[in-house]
Amino acid sequence: MGKKLALNVLYNIGIFVCLVLIYNGFQGKHYEYIAGGVLIGAVLVVLKVRLVKEVRNMQKKP
């Protein structure tokens, strides 16, 4: 369970970094940063949702 908690924290940090990257991309008109941030951020969100579902299913089973 500790590994999943650490993975969740890393996903959160990665999503935050992608949001900062997207914001800076808009400020500097660097559209390649925006595209990269959106792509990587979307992958991290999907992985985080899968992790949350897996943890939720582990808690339901006795």
Side-chain angles (χ1 to χ4, degrees):
M1 197 68 164
K3 290 181 184 179
K4 294 189 186 302
L5 178 65
L7 191 58
N8 188 29
V9 169
L10 287 176
Y11 286 159
N12 286 335
I13 292 171
I15 292 168
F16 178 74
V17 168
C18 286
L19 290 174
V20 170
L21 183 69
I22 292 169
Y23 176 76
N24 287 335
F26 274 120
Q27 294 296 323
K29 296 187 184 351
H30 294 286
Y31 298 110
E32 61 274 3
Y33 292 170
I34 297 169
V38 168
L39 179 68
I40 295 171
V43 169
L44 289 174
V45 168
V46 168
L47 290 173
K48 182 174 170 59
V49 168
R50 290 177 66 190
L51 179 68
V52 168
K53 284 183 181 179
E54 183 180 331
V55 168
R56 192 175 298 149
N57 286 336
M58 282 177 41
Q59 290 177 347
K60 283 185 180 178
K61 296 179 184 177

